[in-house]
Amino acid sequence: MSCSRRSLLVSAAALVGGGALWGRQEPTFSSEVKVVNILATVRDKSGAIVRNLPKEDFQVFEDGRPQAIQYFSQESDLPLTIGLLVDTSFSQMRVLEQERAASYRFLDEVLREGKDKAVVVQFDQAVVIRQQLTMSHKELQDTLALLDLPTREQAAEGSGTLLYDAVRAASIQVMRTQQGRKAFVVLTDGVDEGSTVSLTDAIEAAQRADTLVYCILFSDATYYGGRTLGPSGAGVLKRLSKETGGGYFEVLKTRSIGDIYEAIQEELRSEYSLGFVSDRPVTKSGFRSLRVITKRKGLVVQARDRYYAET
């Protein structure tokens, strides 16, 4: 990688938190009305996605209090912003090519020309935004071709996998200012080494940016001597995805990364968009819990479990 790579380092420690909630139907509201938007996926007992439920089948609770669903749509046509976060530390050396090829196919199929956009971030001992937001499929393809491992000189400076820093930095620097549907796809083995922020900080940044996080655990067992990654790997990614309303997947012999991308693509095309205005005015900024359920028995709703209410 060229020397410019270091100049692109995102210093997550220097980023200041904060974030606003954006209404997805701005022309309808005054600037003082804050709409809480929730993207939800519904599955049946077998795990199949359930589509075409009416608004009346849903219930939304904020801090345990029922809220009136004022805005609702199925399979939303809202613009989609994808953040592809790729672990390029040495532990991913043997799987990087598979990640690169599958990622291009995914972005090529899911992004609609002229409407959706994506950003590409790689992280190892640095966090580098390799491609700023773009609608160009060619730019994304060219950028993915450039993803690489640290050089020997950089490796001599020490190892690192700044997973938490990457999620927080991309949330604050990129996703906070975007409207519509937003999602990260994180390709990693889930082992963080050297981040300046915690997992909780990373989750809160994604929540405040209204961004779903889809985590794909893709690990090279030979790198760790065949050891199970344990809570620092799978456990981390499960928590990151669950608390932001996204999904967790693991690449296995029976499930390829291509299969996983197809599943994520199906979810993104089958979301319900629900919006409400809280019955409790915001007098102090802070997180409020969310719970979304359906009145139909046997259905499970996948959605974020809190949002940041800001004065």
Side-chain angles (χ1 to χ4, degrees), residues 252-306:
L252 303 168
K253 290 182 179 179
T254 56
R255 192 171 202 187
S256 70
I257 186 172
D259 294 336
I260 291 170
Y261 268 139
E262 287 183 11
I264 294 175
Q265 192 173 160
E266 183 183 18
E267 282 199 19
L268 292 173
R269 290 174 174 168
S270 308
E271 293 171 322
Y272 295 90
S273 178
L274 303 94
F276 71 92
V277 176
S278 176
D279 65 350
R280 183 169 55 127
V282 182
T283 58
K284 181 180 179 182
S285 297
F287 283 102
R288 296 182 178 185
S289 70
L290 288 172
R291 185 180 177 219
V292 184
I293 62 174
T294 69
K295 298 177 183 178
R296 299 192 187 190
K297 294 182 179 180
L299 299 184
V300 177
V301 179
Q302 173 184 313
R304 58 181 172 145
D305 58 12
R306 64 176 183 168

Side-chain angles (χ1 to χ4, degrees), residues 94-167:
R94 297 176 185 271
V95 300
L96 184 58
E97 286 305 318
Q98 294 179 63
E99 293 176 344
R100 191 196 319 272
S103 295
Y104 177 69
R105 288 196 301 271
F106 169 73
L107 293 175
D108 190 49
E109 292 174 4
V110 77
L111 296 181
R112 297 163 294 181
E113 287 281 2
K115 188 162 191 174
D116 302 327
K117 50 194 170 183
V119 59
V120 179
V121 179
Q122 72 174 82
F123 60 93
D124 39 62
Q125 63 211 61
V127 178
V128 182
I129 299 179
R130 294 306 303 263
Q131 173 61 60
Q132 296 286 350
L133 284 173
T134 181
M135 293 182 177
S136 169
H137 288 212
K138 184 180 186 305
E139 288 180 351
L140 291 168
Q141 182 180 25
D142 292 345
T143 299
L144 288 171
L146 295 175
L147 295 182
D148 57 3
L149 302 171
T151 64
R152 290 183 178 180
E153 291 77 12
Q154 291 161 350
E157 299 174 11
S159 61
T161 310
L162 308 186
L163 168 61
Y164 308 155
D165 283 357
V167 172

Side-chain angles (χ1 to χ4, degrees), residues 173-194:
Q173 287 206 341
V174 180
M175 291 302 194
R176 271 181 54 190
T177 58
Q178 299 305 304
Q179 302 287 337
R181 299 179 298 149
K182 296 175 281 187
F184 286 140
V185 175
V186 183
L187 285 158
T188 179
D189 59 18
V191 178
D192 183 277
E193 183 180 358

Side-chain angles (χ1 to χ4, degrees), residues 42 49-53 74-75 266-267 269-270 272:
V42 181
I49 290 177
V50 177
R51 301 176 177 84
N52 301 320
L53 293 177
Q74 301 175 48
E75 298 185 292
E266 183 183 18
E267 282 199 19
R269 290 174 174 168
S270 308
Y272 295 90

Side-chain angles (χ1 to χ4, degrees), residues 214-231:
Y214 289 91
C215 293
I216 302 176
L217 191 155
F218 200 172
S219 62
D220 174 15
T222 62
Y223 182 83
Y224 295 97
R227 292 183 286 109
T228 302
L229 293 178

